[in-house]
Amino acid sequence: GIIPTLAPYLLPLFLNDFLSKYPKVQLHIFELTTEDLVGKLEKRELDAGLLATPLGNSNLKEFQLFYDEFRVYGSEQDLLIKKKYIIKEEININQLWLLEEGHCFRSQIINLCELQKKEMHLRQLDLAVGSIETLKNLVDTYKGITIIPALALNNLSTHQKRQVRYFRTPAPVREISLVTHHYFVKEKLLKALMDEIQNNIPETMRQLKHRDVIPF
């Protein structure tokens, strides 16, 4: 299982190499929200899951893989994009596009920007968005800003990359782990999958130094 905000960016990085290296392994991949994924892991309906952690679930084991930094993606007209680095207090929440409820990435952004403490005004257009790609399209079409994971930068055009800004250190990140049931026994298969993922992730993403893991 893999969460939707991770699947389109992580799977293309390692999947072909893994299948080529282990031709006898059959993979069945399901794109699921964190809640559904955790439920299936607990019931042992899935062998493993790729998702944001920590979960704080004693029934599951977490194997940290890497740290995916948050980036600000904004329209060229937004004043925030004129800055080189951004601090979370500068984000105008009434210009911020968010994923729909049910996504852990949405919860992380809410925690990062402390949205519960701030008043959001009703805007003319309010969409329940289910993907990061749609968020980027909303920014390009209707202006405003959104927050995307660093892995999503691989899907941006050269022009779009000019609309991306870093957060000031310590950079907010989501911790990505491979998660199994506590009594999962296919250790060799698990190790092979972890190694292949990490071999295709930049070394800098595997280090937590100067970064801050955002809970959800």
Side-chain angles (χ1 to χ4, degrees), residues 113-131:
C113 300
E114 299 180 325
L115 296 190
Q116 301 97 329
K117 302 177 183 178
K118 300 176 181 178
E119 183 179 355
M120 296 187 70
H121 303 300
L122 184 65
R123 54 180 155 192
Q124 186 179 11
L125 178 62
D126 189 22
L127 294 177
V129 177
S131 76

Side-chain angles (χ1 to χ4, degrees), residues 7 36 77 97 147 179 205:
D36 290 340
Q77 291 78 19
W97 295 102
I147 296 175
V179 180
M205 295 184 72

Side-chain angles (χ1 to χ4, degrees), residues 16-34:
N16 283 340
D17 289 345
F18 180 82
L19 294 175
S20 297
K21 190 175 293 186
Y22 304 101
K24 293 185 179 181
V25 174
Q26 289 187 327
L27 279 183
H28 301 274
I29 300 174
F30 304 91
E31 195 171 295
L32 301 165
T33 63
T34 296

Side-chain angles (χ1 to χ4, degrees), residues 6-213:
L6 188 60
Y9 314 116
L10 181 59
L11 292 179
L13 296 182
F14 78 91
L15 204 51
N16 283 340
D17 289 345
F18 180 82
L19 294 175
S20 297
K21 190 175 293 186
Y22 304 101
K24 293 185 179 181
V25 174
Q26 289 187 327
L27 279 183
H28 301 274
I29 300 174
F30 304 91
E31 195 171 295
L32 301 165
T33 63
T34 296
E35 182 179 1
D36 290 340
L37 207 160
V38 168
K40 288 183 178 294
L41 286 172
E42 288 184 314
K43 296 173 185 175
R44 304 194 193 188
E45 294 175 357
L46 290 175
D47 286 327
L50 287 162
L51 64 163
T53 54
L55 299 170
N57 188 320
S58 60
N59 293 321
L60 306 178
K61 291 175 67 175
E62 301 174 4
F63 303 88
Q64 286 79 28
L65 295 172
F66 61 92
Y67 302 95
D68 198 6
E69 278 193 22
F70 295 171
R71 300 279 192 268
V72 174
Y73 181 77
S75 67
E76 295 175 317
Q77 291 78 19
D78 196 288
L79 293 177
L80 203 60
I81 301 304
K82 309 298 181 185
K83 296 176 174 286
K84 185 175 182 180
Y85 295 101
I86 292 171
I87 58 176
K88 62 182 182 180
E89 289 79 10
E90 295 174 322
I91 293 176
N92 181 351
I93 62 171
N94 292 298
Q95 297 294 322
L96 180 63
W97 295 102
L98 291 169
L99 289 171
E100 63 186 356
E101 293 184 7
H103 291 274
C104 60
F105 193 70
R106 172 192 171 94
S107 300
Q108 288 172 310
I109 302 308
I110 287 175
N111 288 334
L112 170 67
C113 300
E114 299 180 325
L115 296 190
Q116 301 97 329
K117 302 177 183 178
K118 300 176 181 178
E119 183 179 355
M120 296 187 70
H121 303 300
L122 184 65
R123 54 180 155 192
Q124 186 179 11
L125 178 62
D126 189 22
L127 294 177
V129 177
S131 76
I132 290 171
E133 296 306 305
T134 304
L135 288 178
K136 292 187 297 185
N137 290 336
L138 284 172
V139 170
D140 292 340
T141 304
Y142 298 104
K143 302 181 181 179
I145 60 172
T146 193
I147 296 175
I148 63 176
L151 277 182
L153 268 61
N154 294 331
N155 290 28
L156 297 183
S157 66
T158 301
H159 177 77
Q160 287 176 318
K161 287 179 180 178
R162 291 197 288 268
Q163 297 169 226
V164 175
R165 292 296 178 271
Y166 289 70
F167 280 97
R168 192 179 298 276
T169 304
V173 299
R174 59 175 180 173
E175 177 185 86
I176 301 298
S177 300
L178 192 62
V179 180
T180 68
H181 191 276
H182 192 75
Y183 297 108
F184 183 77
V185 296
K186 302 176 186 177
E187 293 184 358
K188 288 186 178 180
L189 184 59
L190 189 69
K191 178 68 163 54
L193 186 57
M194 291 174 59
D195 287 346
E196 203 59 45
I197 292 173
Q198 291 188 316
N199 288 341
N200 286 279
I201 291 292
E203 176 65 28
T204 54
M205 295 184 72
R206 295 162 60 182
Q207 303 169 3
L208 187 56
K209 188 177 181 181
H210 304 310
R211 291 169 172 165
D212 183 22
V213 174

